[in-house]
Amino acid sequence: MDIAKIEKGYNKINLWLVVALTLLGLLMSQVLLKPNLVTPMVVSSIFFIVTSKLYGKAWKYFAANSPKVLGRFYLAGSMLRMFLAVIVILIGALVYRGDSEKILTYVVVFVVYYITAMIFDCVYFFRIEKNNKINK
């Protein structure tokens, strides 16, 4: 079992996922002539790159030092990311207050990134745990 390799793979795939979502969003922005998609995509991209990097580092620490608490780590890490996401959404809503279309666009774009990140985290770490690479 190589914990560093698992963390590196997580970070690499997550970065590619964020880049793919951002490029797809930029394409949609151009096709639909909606320039108000760009700022929410930049904020979402930065948020998920930073939080995923920190999540990967924290996972590496717990996997190396106390693998028995990984189940609680997954729960706590996801909850912390959710609270941070709510804070970022509220900040975006405050920035765009008075313009309901921009608020809705911001929230929808952020939620797409959030759901994608959560699905990826669940699938990636489920496969790691299923293969018992950590608990052996």
Short mmCIF file of all heavy atoms in Angstrom, two decimals, residues 32-95:
data_model
loop_
_atom_site.label_atom_id
_atom_site.label_comp_id
_atom_site.label_asym_id
_atom_site.label_seq_id
_atom_site.Cartn_x
_atom_site.Cartn_y
_atom_site.Cartn_z
N LEU A 32 -23.84 29.78 -25.27
CA LEU A 32 -25.09 30.38 -24.82
C LEU A 32 -25.01 31.90 -24.69
O LEU A 32 -25.99 32.54 -24.35
CB LEU A 32 -25.49 29.79 -23.47
CG LEU A 32 -25.73 28.29 -23.43
CD1 LEU A 32 -26.00 27.82 -22.01
CD2 LEU A 32 -26.88 27.90 -24.34
N LEU A 33 -23.82 32.46 -24.97
CA LEU A 33 -23.59 33.91 -24.84
C LEU A 33 -23.95 34.39 -23.44
O LEU A 33 -24.67 35.37 -23.26
CB LEU A 33 -24.36 34.68 -25.91
CG LEU A 33 -24.01 34.35 -27.36
CD1 LEU A 33 -24.94 35.06 -28.31
CD2 LEU A 33 -22.56 34.68 -27.65
N LYS A 34 -23.46 33.67 -22.43
CA LYS A 34 -23.71 34.00 -21.03
C LYS A 34 -22.37 34.30 -20.34
O LYS A 34 -21.77 33.42 -19.73
CB LYS A 34 -24.39 32.83 -20.31
CG LYS A 34 -25.75 32.49 -20.80
CD LYS A 34 -26.75 33.35 -20.12
CE LYS A 34 -28.15 32.84 -20.45
NZ LYS A 34 -29.16 33.67 -19.88
N PRO A 35 -21.89 35.53 -20.43
CA PRO A 35 -20.60 35.85 -19.79
C PRO A 35 -20.66 35.82 -18.27
O PRO A 35 -19.64 35.78 -17.61
CB PRO A 35 -20.29 37.25 -20.30
CG PRO A 35 -21.61 37.83 -20.67
CD PRO A 35 -22.46 36.68 -21.12
N ASN A 36 -21.88 35.80 -17.68
CA ASN A 36 -21.98 35.79 -16.23
C ASN A 36 -21.68 34.42 -15.62
O ASN A 36 -21.75 34.24 -14.42
CB ASN A 36 -23.34 36.30 -15.76
CG ASN A 36 -24.50 35.47 -16.27
OD1 ASN A 36 -24.35 34.66 -17.18
ND2 ASN A 36 -25.66 35.67 -15.68
N LEU A 37 -21.31 33.43 -16.45
CA LEU A 37 -20.91 32.12 -15.95
C LEU A 37 -19.44 32.08 -15.55
O LEU A 37 -19.02 31.20 -14.80
CB LEU A 37 -21.14 31.03 -17.01
CG LEU A 37 -22.57 30.63 -17.33
CD1 LEU A 37 -22.59 29.66 -18.50
CD2 LEU A 37 -23.22 30.00 -16.13
N VAL A 38 -18.65 33.03 -16.04
CA VAL A 38 -17.20 32.97 -15.87
C VAL A 38 -16.79 33.17 -14.41
O VAL A 38 -16.02 32.37 -13.87
CB VAL A 38 -16.50 33.99 -16.79
CG1 VAL A 38 -15.01 34.03 -16.53
CG2 VAL A 38 -16.78 33.66 -18.25
N THR A 39 -17.29 34.18 -13.75
CA THR A 39 -16.90 34.45 -12.36
C THR A 39 -17.28 33.29 -11.43
O THR A 39 -16.44 32.85 -10.63
CB THR A 39 -17.50 35.78 -11.87
OG1 THR A 39 -17.05 36.83 -12.72
CG2 THR A 39 -17.09 36.07 -10.44
N PRO A 40 -18.50 32.77 -11.50
CA PRO A 40 -18.82 31.62 -10.64
C PRO A 40 -17.94 30.41 -10.91
O PRO A 40 -17.59 29.67 -9.99
CB PRO A 40 -20.28 31.30 -10.96
CG PRO A 40 -20.84 32.54 -11.52
CD PRO A 40 -19.70 33.24 -12.19
N MET A 41 -17.54 30.20 -12.18
CA MET A 41 -16.66 29.07 -12.49
C MET A 41 -15.26 29.28 -11.90
O MET A 41 -14.66 28.33 -11.40
CB MET A 41 -16.57 28.87 -14.00
CG MET A 41 -17.77 28.18 -14.57
SD MET A 41 -17.58 27.75 -16.29
CE MET A 41 -17.34 29.33 -17.05
N VAL A 42 -14.77 30.50 -11.95
CA VAL A 42 -13.44 30.78 -11.38
C VAL A 42 -13.47 30.56 -9.87
O VAL A 42 -12.59 29.89 -9.31
CB VAL A 42 -12.99 32.22 -11.74
CG1 VAL A 42 -11.76 32.61 -10.95
CG2 VAL A 42 -12.74 32.34 -13.22
N VAL A 43 -14.48 31.10 -9.20
CA VAL A 43 -14.60 30.94 -7.75
C VAL A 43 -14.75 29.46 -7.39
O VAL A 43 -14.08 28.96 -6.48
CB VAL A 43 -15.81 31.75 -7.21
CG1 VAL A 43 -16.09 31.41 -5.75
CG2 VAL A 43 -15.56 33.24 -7.38
N SER A 44 -15.61 28.75 -8.11
CA SER A 44 -15.82 27.33 -7.84
C SER A 44 -14.56 26.52 -8.08
O SER A 44 -14.21 25.64 -7.29
CB SER A 44 -16.96 26.79 -8.71
OG SER A 44 -18.16 27.48 -8.46
N SER A 45 -13.87 26.81 -9.16
CA SER A 45 -12.63 26.09 -9.47
C SER A 45 -11.59 26.27 -8.38
O SER A 45 -11.00 25.30 -7.90
CB SER A 45 -12.05 26.57 -10.80
OG SER A 45 -12.91 26.30 -11.85
N ILE A 46 -11.38 27.50 -7.98
CA ILE A 46 -10.39 27.78 -6.94
C ILE A 46 -10.79 27.11 -5.63
O ILE A 46 -9.97 26.47 -4.97
CB ILE A 46 -10.19 29.29 -6.76
CG1 ILE A 46 -9.52 29.88 -8.00
CG2 ILE A 46 -9.39 29.60 -5.50
CD1 ILE A 46 -9.49 31.39 -8.04
N PHE A 47 -12.06 27.22 -5.27
CA PHE A 47 -12.54 26.62 -4.03
C PHE A 47 -12.29 25.11 -4.02
O PHE A 47 -11.77 24.56 -3.05
CB PHE A 47 -14.04 26.90 -3.83
CG PHE A 47 -14.62 26.24 -2.62
CD1 PHE A 47 -14.49 26.82 -1.37
CD2 PHE A 47 -15.30 25.04 -2.73
CE1 PHE A 47 -15.03 26.21 -0.24
CE2 PHE A 47 -15.84 24.42 -1.61
CZ PHE A 47 -15.70 25.01 -0.37
N PHE A 48 -12.66 24.43 -5.10
CA PHE A 48 -12.55 22.98 -5.10
C PHE A 48 -11.12 22.48 -5.30
O PHE A 48 -10.78 21.42 -4.82
CB PHE A 48 -13.53 22.37 -6.10
CG PHE A 48 -14.92 22.42 -5.57
CD1 PHE A 48 -15.82 23.35 -6.03
CD2 PHE A 48 -15.32 21.58 -4.55
CE1 PHE A 48 -17.10 23.44 -5.51
CE2 PHE A 48 -16.59 21.65 -4.01
CZ PHE A 48 -17.47 22.58 -4.49
N ILE A 49 -10.29 23.25 -5.95
CA ILE A 49 -8.87 22.86 -6.03
C ILE A 49 -8.24 22.96 -4.65
O ILE A 49 -7.55 22.04 -4.20
CB ILE A 49 -8.12 23.72 -7.06
CG1 ILE A 49 -8.54 23.31 -8.48
CG2 ILE A 49 -6.61 23.58 -6.89
CD1 ILE A 49 -8.02 24.22 -9.57
N VAL A 50 -8.49 24.05 -3.95
CA VAL A 50 -7.90 24.25 -2.62
C VAL A 50 -8.45 23.24 -1.62
O VAL A 50 -7.69 22.58 -0.90
CB VAL A 50 -8.13 25.70 -2.13
CG1 VAL A 50 -7.75 25.86 -0.66
CG2 VAL A 50 -7.35 26.67 -2.99
N THR A 51 -9.78 23.10 -1.56
CA THR A 51 -10.35 22.19 -0.56
C THR A 51 -9.99 20.74 -0.85
O THR A 51 -9.78 19.96 0.09
CB THR A 51 -11.88 22.34 -0.45
OG1 THR A 51 -12.49 22.12 -1.72
CG2 THR A 51 -12.25 23.70 0.10
N SER A 52 -9.92 20.37 -2.09
CA SER A 52 -9.56 18.98 -2.42
C SER A 52 -8.10 18.71 -2.09
O SER A 52 -7.75 17.61 -1.64
CB SER A 52 -9.84 18.69 -3.89
OG SER A 52 -11.22 18.74 -4.12
N LYS A 53 -7.25 19.67 -2.31
CA LYS A 53 -5.84 19.51 -1.95
C LYS A 53 -5.70 19.33 -0.43
O LYS A 53 -4.99 18.43 0.03
CB LYS A 53 -5.04 20.72 -2.42
CG LYS A 53 -3.57 20.62 -2.22
CD LYS A 53 -2.96 19.65 -3.20
CE LYS A 53 -1.45 19.71 -3.11
NZ LYS A 53 -0.83 18.67 -3.90
N LEU A 54 -6.41 20.14 0.33
CA LEU A 54 -6.37 20.03 1.79
C LEU A 54 -6.99 18.71 2.25
O LEU A 54 -6.48 18.07 3.18
CB LEU A 54 -7.10 21.21 2.43
CG LEU A 54 -6.43 22.57 2.25
CD1 LEU A 54 -7.31 23.68 2.80
CD2 LEU A 54 -5.06 22.60 2.90
N TYR A 55 -8.08 18.30 1.62
CA TYR A 55 -8.73 17.04 1.96
C TYR A 55 -7.79 15.87 1.69
O TYR A 55 -7.68 14.95 2.50
CB TYR A 55 -10.02 16.89 1.13
CG TYR A 55 -10.91 15.74 1.53
CD1 TYR A 55 -11.81 15.88 2.58
CD2 TYR A 55 -10.87 14.54 0.85
CE1 TYR A 55 -12.64 14.84 2.95
CE2 TYR A 55 -11.70 13.49 1.21
CZ TYR A 55 -12.59 13.65 2.26
OH TYR A 55 -13.40 12.61 2.61
N GLY A 56 -7.09 15.92 0.57
CA GLY A 56 -6.13 14.87 0.24
C GLY A 56 -4.98 14.80 1.23
O GLY A 56 -4.57 13.72 1.65
N LYS A 57 -4.48 15.96 1.63
CA LYS A 57 -3.40 16.00 2.62
C LYS A 57 -3.87 15.46 3.98
O LYS A 57 -3.16 14.70 4.64
CB LYS A 57 -2.85 17.42 2.81
CG LYS A 57 -2.12 17.95 1.61
CD LYS A 57 -0.79 17.26 1.45
CE LYS A 57 -0.03 17.85 0.28
NZ LYS A 57 1.13 17.05 -0.08
N ALA A 58 -5.07 15.86 4.38
CA ALA A 58 -5.62 15.37 5.65
C ALA A 58 -5.86 13.86 5.58
O ALA A 58 -5.57 13.13 6.53
CB ALA A 58 -6.92 16.11 5.98
N TRP A 59 -6.37 13.39 4.45
CA TRP A 59 -6.59 11.94 4.29
C TRP A 59 -5.27 11.20 4.41
O TRP A 59 -5.18 10.16 5.07
CB TRP A 59 -7.24 11.64 2.95
CG TRP A 59 -7.41 10.18 2.74
CD1 TRP A 59 -8.45 9.40 3.15
CD2 TRP A 59 -6.47 9.29 2.11
NE1 TRP A 59 -8.22 8.09 2.81
CE2 TRP A 59 -7.01 7.99 2.18
CE3 TRP A 59 -5.23 9.47 1.51
CZ2 TRP A 59 -6.36 6.89 1.67
CZ3 TRP A 59 -4.57 8.36 1.00
CH2 TRP A 59 -5.14 7.09 1.07
N LYS A 60 -4.25 11.72 3.77
CA LYS A 60 -2.93 11.08 3.82
C LYS A 60 -2.43 10.99 5.27
O LYS A 60 -1.90 9.96 5.69
CB LYS A 60 -1.95 11.88 2.97
CG LYS A 60 -0.55 11.32 2.93
CD LYS A 60 0.34 12.21 2.06
CE LYS A 60 1.78 11.78 2.10
NZ LYS A 60 2.63 12.67 1.29
N TYR A 61 -2.62 12.05 6.03
CA TYR A 61 -2.19 12.06 7.42
C TYR A 61 -2.93 10.98 8.22
O TYR A 61 -2.30 10.20 8.94
CB TYR A 61 -2.44 13.44 8.04
CG TYR A 61 -2.20 13.46 9.53
CD1 TYR A 61 -0.90 13.57 10.03
CD2 TYR A 61 -3.25 13.35 10.43
CE1 TYR A 61 -0.66 13.57 11.40
CE2 TYR A 61 -3.02 13.35 11.79
CZ TYR A 61 -1.74 13.45 12.27
OH TYR A 61 -1.51 13.44 13.62
N PHE A 62 -4.26 10.94 8.10
CA PHE A 62 -5.03 9.96 8.87
C PHE A 62 -4.78 8.54 8.38
O PHE A 62 -4.75 7.61 9.19
CB PHE A 62 -6.52 10.29 8.83
CG PHE A 62 -6.90 11.44 9.73
CD1 PHE A 62 -7.22 12.67 9.20
CD2 PHE A 62 -6.88 11.28 11.10
CE1 PHE A 62 -7.54 13.73 10.02
CE2 PHE A 62 -7.20 12.34 11.94
CZ PHE A 62 -7.54 13.57 11.40
N ALA A 63 -4.62 8.36 7.10
CA ALA A 63 -4.38 7.01 6.58
C ALA A 63 -3.03 6.48 7.07
O ALA A 63 -2.90 5.29 7.34
CB ALA A 63 -4.41 7.03 5.06
N ALA A 64 -2.05 7.36 7.20
CA ALA A 64 -0.72 6.93 7.64
C ALA A 64 -0.65 6.74 9.15
O ALA A 64 0.00 5.83 9.64
CB ALA A 64 0.32 7.94 7.18
N ASN A 65 -1.30 7.63 9.90
CA ASN A 65 -1.14 7.64 11.35
C ASN A 65 -2.22 6.90 12.12
O ASN A 65 -1.93 6.34 13.18
CB ASN A 65 -1.03 9.07 11.86
CG ASN A 65 0.21 9.75 11.32
OD1 ASN A 65 1.26 9.13 11.23
ND2 ASN A 65 0.08 11.00 10.94
N SER A 66 -3.46 6.94 11.65
CA SER A 66 -4.53 6.25 12.37
C SER A 66 -5.64 5.83 11.40
O SER A 66 -6.68 6.47 11.32
CB SER A 66 -5.09 7.14 13.48
OG SER A 66 -5.47 8.38 12.98
N PRO A 67 -5.39 4.76 10.66
CA PRO A 67 -6.36 4.32 9.66
C PRO A 67 -7.70 3.86 10.24
O PRO A 67 -8.68 3.80 9.52
CB PRO A 67 -5.66 3.18 8.94
CG PRO A 67 -4.56 2.75 9.85
CD PRO A 67 -4.20 3.93 10.68
N LYS A 68 -7.75 3.59 11.52
CA LYS A 68 -9.00 3.13 12.13
C LYS A 68 -10.06 4.25 12.19
O LYS A 68 -11.24 3.96 12.30
CB LYS A 68 -8.75 2.62 13.56
CG LYS A 68 -7.81 1.44 13.62
CD LYS A 68 -8.49 0.19 13.17
CE LYS A 68 -7.53 -0.98 13.38
NZ LYS A 68 -7.79 -2.07 12.50
N VAL A 69 -9.64 5.50 12.12
CA VAL A 69 -10.59 6.61 12.21
C VAL A 69 -10.94 7.19 10.84
O VAL A 69 -11.56 8.26 10.77
CB VAL A 69 -10.07 7.73 13.14
CG1 VAL A 69 -9.88 7.22 14.55
CG2 VAL A 69 -8.81 8.36 12.60
N LEU A 70 -10.59 6.50 9.79
CA LEU A 70 -10.88 7.03 8.45
C LEU A 70 -12.37 7.21 8.20
O LEU A 70 -12.78 8.15 7.52
CB LEU A 70 -10.25 6.15 7.37
CG LEU A 70 -8.78 6.42 7.09
CD1 LEU A 70 -8.24 5.42 6.09
CD2 LEU A 70 -8.56 7.82 6.60
N GLY A 71 -13.19 6.33 8.74
CA GLY A 71 -14.64 6.47 8.57
C GLY A 71 -15.14 7.78 9.13
O GLY A 71 -15.93 8.49 8.50
N ARG A 72 -14.68 8.13 10.31
CA ARG A 72 -15.06 9.42 10.91
C ARG A 72 -14.45 10.58 10.14
O ARG A 72 -15.05 11.64 10.03
CB ARG A 72 -14.64 9.47 12.37
CG ARG A 72 -15.58 8.63 13.24
CD ARG A 72 -15.21 8.72 14.69
NE ARG A 72 -14.32 7.58 14.91
CZ ARG A 72 -13.51 7.46 15.92
NH1 ARG A 72 -13.44 8.40 16.83
NH2 ARG A 72 -12.74 6.39 16.05
N PHE A 73 -13.24 10.38 9.61
CA PHE A 73 -12.61 11.44 8.81
C PHE A 73 -13.44 11.76 7.57
O PHE A 73 -13.63 12.92 7.24
CB PHE A 73 -11.19 11.05 8.39
CG PHE A 73 -10.66 11.94 7.31
CD1 PHE A 73 -10.26 13.23 7.59
CD2 PHE A 73 -10.61 11.51 6.00
CE1 PHE A 73 -9.80 14.07 6.58
CE2 PHE A 73 -10.14 12.33 4.99
CZ PHE A 73 -9.74 13.62 5.29
N TYR A 74 -13.93 10.72 6.88
CA TYR A 74 -14.74 10.95 5.68
C TYR A 74 -15.97 11.79 6.02
O TYR A 74 -16.32 12.72 5.29
CB TYR A 74 -15.18 9.63 5.04
CG TYR A 74 -14.03 8.80 4.49
CD1 TYR A 74 -13.96 7.44 4.74
CD2 TYR A 74 -13.03 9.38 3.73
CE1 TYR A 74 -12.92 6.67 4.24
CE2 TYR A 74 -11.98 8.62 3.23
CZ TYR A 74 -11.94 7.27 3.49
OH TYR A 74 -10.91 6.52 2.99
N LEU A 75 -16.62 11.47 7.13
CA LEU A 75 -17.80 12.21 7.55
C LEU A 75 -17.44 13.64 7.93
O LEU A 75 -18.07 14.59 7.45
CB LEU A 75 -18.48 11.49 8.72
CG LEU A 75 -19.71 12.17 9.30
CD1 LEU A 75 -20.81 12.22 8.26
CD2 LEU A 75 -20.17 11.42 10.53
N ALA A 76 -16.44 13.79 8.77
CA ALA A 76 -16.06 15.13 9.23
C ALA A 76 -15.52 15.99 8.08
O ALA A 76 -15.83 17.18 7.99
CB ALA A 76 -15.01 15.02 10.34
N GLY A 77 -14.72 15.39 7.22
CA GLY A 77 -14.19 16.14 6.08
C GLY A 77 -15.28 16.62 5.14
O GLY A 77 -15.25 17.75 4.67
N SER A 78 -16.24 15.76 4.88
CA SER A 78 -17.35 16.15 4.01
C SER A 78 -18.21 17.23 4.66
O SER A 78 -18.67 18.16 3.98
CB SER A 78 -18.21 14.94 3.68
OG SER A 78 -17.47 14.02 2.93
N MET A 79 -18.43 17.11 5.96
CA MET A 79 -19.22 18.14 6.65
C MET A 79 -18.49 19.48 6.65
O MET A 79 -19.11 20.52 6.44
CB MET A 79 -19.53 17.70 8.08
CG MET A 79 -20.58 16.61 8.14
SD MET A 79 -20.93 16.06 9.82
CE MET A 79 -21.45 17.57 10.58
N LEU A 80 -17.18 19.46 6.89
CA LEU A 80 -16.41 20.70 6.88
C LEU A 80 -16.45 21.35 5.50
O LEU A 80 -16.66 22.56 5.37
CB LEU A 80 -14.96 20.44 7.29
CG LEU A 80 -14.05 21.66 7.32
CD1 LEU A 80 -14.56 22.70 8.31
CD2 LEU A 80 -12.63 21.24 7.67
N ARG A 81 -16.31 20.54 4.46
CA ARG A 81 -16.37 21.08 3.10
C ARG A 81 -17.76 21.66 2.82
O ARG A 81 -17.90 22.69 2.17
CB ARG A 81 -16.03 20.01 2.07
CG ARG A 81 -15.92 20.60 0.68
CD ARG A 81 -15.65 19.59 -0.37
NE ARG A 81 -14.34 19.00 -0.23
CZ ARG A 81 -13.84 18.13 -1.07
NH1 ARG A 81 -14.54 17.73 -2.11
NH2 ARG A 81 -12.65 17.63 -0.90
N MET A 82 -18.81 20.99 3.34
CA MET A 82 -20.16 21.49 3.14
C MET A 82 -20.34 22.85 3.81
O MET A 82 -20.91 23.78 3.22
CB MET A 82 -21.19 20.50 3.68
CG MET A 82 -22.62 20.96 3.50
SD MET A 82 -23.82 19.89 4.28
CE MET A 82 -23.44 20.11 6.00
N PHE A 83 -19.86 22.99 5.05
CA PHE A 83 -19.97 24.27 5.74
C PHE A 83 -19.19 25.36 5.02
O PHE A 83 -19.68 26.50 4.88
CB PHE A 83 -19.52 24.15 7.20
CG PHE A 83 -20.48 23.40 8.07
CD1 PHE A 83 -20.03 22.38 8.88
CD2 PHE A 83 -21.84 23.70 8.08
CE1 PHE A 83 -20.90 21.68 9.69
CE2 PHE A 83 -22.72 23.01 8.88
CZ PHE A 83 -22.26 21.99 9.69
N LEU A 84 -18.01 25.05 4.55
CA LEU A 84 -17.23 26.03 3.78
C LEU A 84 -17.95 26.40 2.49
O LEU A 84 -17.95 27.57 2.08
CB LEU A 84 -15.84 25.48 3.48
CG LEU A 84 -14.90 25.32 4.67
CD1 LEU A 84 -13.61 24.63 4.23
CD2 LEU A 84 -14.59 26.67 5.30
N ALA A 85 -18.57 25.42 1.84
CA ALA A 85 -19.32 25.68 0.61
C ALA A 85 -20.51 26.60 0.88
O ALA A 85 -20.77 27.52 0.10
CB ALA A 85 -19.78 24.37 -0.02
N VAL A 86 -21.21 26.37 1.97
CA VAL A 86 -22.33 27.24 2.32
C VAL A 86 -21.85 28.67 2.56
O VAL A 86 -22.49 29.63 2.11
CB VAL A 86 -23.09 26.69 3.55
CG1 VAL A 86 -24.07 27.71 4.11
CG2 VAL A 86 -23.81 25.40 3.19
N ILE A 87 -20.71 28.81 3.23
CA ILE A 87 -20.16 30.15 3.46
C ILE A 87 -19.81 30.83 2.14
O ILE A 87 -20.12 32.00 1.94
CB ILE A 87 -18.93 30.06 4.39
CG1 ILE A 87 -19.37 29.68 5.81
CG2 ILE A 87 -18.15 31.37 4.41
CD1 ILE A 87 -18.24 29.31 6.73
N VAL A 88 -19.19 30.10 1.23
CA VAL A 88 -18.83 30.68 -0.08
C VAL A 88 -20.09 31.04 -0.86
O VAL A 88 -20.13 32.10 -1.52
CB VAL A 88 -17.91 29.71 -0.87
CG1 VAL A 88 -17.72 30.17 -2.29
CG2 VAL A 88 -16.57 29.58 -0.18
N ILE A 89 -21.11 30.21 -0.79
CA ILE A 89 -22.36 30.53 -1.48
C ILE A 89 -23.00 31.78 -0.89
O ILE A 89 -23.48 32.66 -1.62
CB ILE A 89 -23.34 29.33 -1.45
CG1 ILE A 89 -22.85 28.25 -2.39
CG2 ILE A 89 -24.75 29.77 -1.81
CD1 ILE A 89 -23.65 26.96 -2.34
N LEU A 90 -22.99 31.89 0.44
CA LEU A 90 -23.56 33.09 1.07
C LEU A 90 -22.76 34.34 0.71
O LEU A 90 -23.36 35.40 0.48
CB LEU A 90 -23.61 32.91 2.59
CG LEU A 90 -24.64 31.91 3.10
CD1 LEU A 90 -24.52 31.74 4.61
CD2 LEU A 90 -26.04 32.35 2.72
N ILE A 91 -21.45 34.23 0.64
CA ILE A 91 -20.63 35.38 0.23
C ILE A 91 -20.97 35.78 -1.21
O ILE A 91 -21.11 36.97 -1.52
CB ILE A 91 -19.13 35.07 0.39
CG1 ILE A 91 -18.77 34.99 1.88
CG2 ILE A 91 -18.27 36.12 -0.31
CD1 ILE A 91 -17.38 34.47 2.15
N GLY A 92 -21.11 34.79 -2.08
CA GLY A 92 -21.49 35.09 -3.46
C GLY A 92 -22.86 35.73 -3.55
O GLY A 92 -23.08 36.66 -4.34
N ALA A 93 -23.80 35.26 -2.73
CA ALA A 93 -25.14 35.86 -2.72
C ALA A 93 -25.09 37.30 -2.23
O ALA A 93 -25.83 38.16 -2.73
CB ALA A 93 -26.07 35.02 -1.86
N LEU A 94 -24.22 37.57 -1.26
CA LEU A 94 -24.08 38.95 -0.79
C LEU A 94 -23.44 39.84 -1.85
O LEU A 94 -23.83 41.00 -2.01
CB LEU A 94 -23.23 38.99 0.48
CG LEU A 94 -23.91 38.48 1.75
CD1 LEU A 94 -22.92 38.44 2.91
CD2 LEU A 94 -25.09 39.37 2.11
N VAL A 95 -22.47 39.32 -2.57
CA VAL A 95 -21.82 40.10 -3.62
C VAL A 95 -22.81 40.44 -4.73
O VAL A 95 -22.82 41.56 -5.25
CB VAL A 95 -20.60 39.34 -4.19
CG1 VAL A 95 -20.09 39.97 -5.47
CG2 VAL A 95 -19.50 39.25 -3.15
#
